[in-house]
Amino acid sequence: RTASSSVPVYVHLLNLSSQFSRNIKEVSSGMDYSCFINDKKGVACWGKNNWGQLGTTQTGNQYIPTIAIGDSP
């Protein structure tokens, strides 16, 4: 589980392949979620996901980065 933080925290990327999590170009955060895009335009998101707003195949909160639909590792 995670907790809210008002300062940057380390994000574990162990669930993603090294090729997908390498060369992260941009990180974006909202009130209850964060996403990154890599140099190949792959997207992974984590955070609140009660309506599937993260773009993954699941609903429910994602506590680690999860690849968005349409992106492959």
Side-chain angles (χ1 to χ4, degrees):
R1 267 187 90 99
T2 61
S4 295
S5 176
S6 60
V7 296
V9 296
Y10 181 80
V11 176
H12 295 277
L13 301 175
L14 298 176
N15 63 311
L16 300 174
S17 73
S18 62
Q19 285 186 312
F20 194 88
S21 60
R22 181 180 348 187
N23 298 323
I24 294 172
K25 297 298 182 185
E26 188 173 329
V27 176
S28 179
S29 295
M31 181 178 284
D32 295 317
Y33 67 90
S34 296
C35 296
F36 74 74
I37 186 168
N38 64 20
D39 63 337
K40 305 283 188 214
K41 303 204 184 302
V43 176
C45 300
W46 63 101
K48 197 169 191 175
N49 190 39
N50 46 333
W51 294 292
Q53 63 265 43
L54 296 182
T56 65
T57 59
Q58 303 103 356
T59 56
N61 296 344
Q62 300 296 312
Y63 297 105
I64 54 176
T66 304
I67 296 172
I69 295 172
D71 291 313
S72 55

